[in-house]
């Protein structure tokens, strides 16, 4: 579902970051890296802090997993 959203014209770079995170958590490293490149092509200064401010996960364990998944791709 998230990946389909990314493919819509003018999709926001944060949507691509959702795919990066979820693909990483699912063990789909190549797919995650492909979308990480997409994020960087849209917004070179994208950071996981920007993502976590836009999507403020309340559960600390879930937030840590998301943070680590984005960190793994250099955000």
């Amino acid at each position: 579902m998230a990946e389909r959203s990314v493919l819509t014209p003018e999709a926001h770079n944060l949507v691509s970051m959702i795919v990066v995170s979820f693909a990483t958590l699912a063990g789909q490293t190549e797919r995650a890296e492909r979308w990480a490149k997409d994020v960087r092509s849209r917004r070179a200064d994208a950071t996981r802090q920007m993502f976590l401010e836009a999507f403020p996960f309340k559960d600390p364990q879930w937030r840590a997993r998301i943070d680590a998944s984005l960190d793994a791709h250099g955000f």
Side-chain angles (χ1 to χ4, degrees):
M1 176 76 146
E3 197 163 29
R4 192 171 28 186
S5 298
V6 173
L7 297 174
T8 59
E10 303 300 320
H12 198 279
N13 64 288
L14 293 175
V15 177
S16 293
M17 290 180 83
I18 291 171
V19 177
V20 171
S21 180
F22 286 15
T24 300
L25 294 173
Q28 299 171 350
T29 308
E30 290 180 21
R31 180 174 166 217
E33 190 54 39
R34 188 171 59 246
W35 286 107
K37 287 177 186 175
D38 176 72
V39 171
R40 289 185 191 92
S41 74
R42 294 170 187 240
R43 178 126 189 207
D45 66 339
T47 66
R48 64 185 189 274
Q49 290 80 15
M50 294 165 87
F51 181 86
L52 292 169
E53 286 176 13
F55 301 104
F57 296 94
K58 295 188 188 289
D59 182 290
Q61 291 177 335
W62 185 240
R63 183 180 176 89
R65 291 180 70 202
I66 297 292
D67 186 52
S69 69
L70 294 173
D71 183 46
H73 294 280
F75 293 108

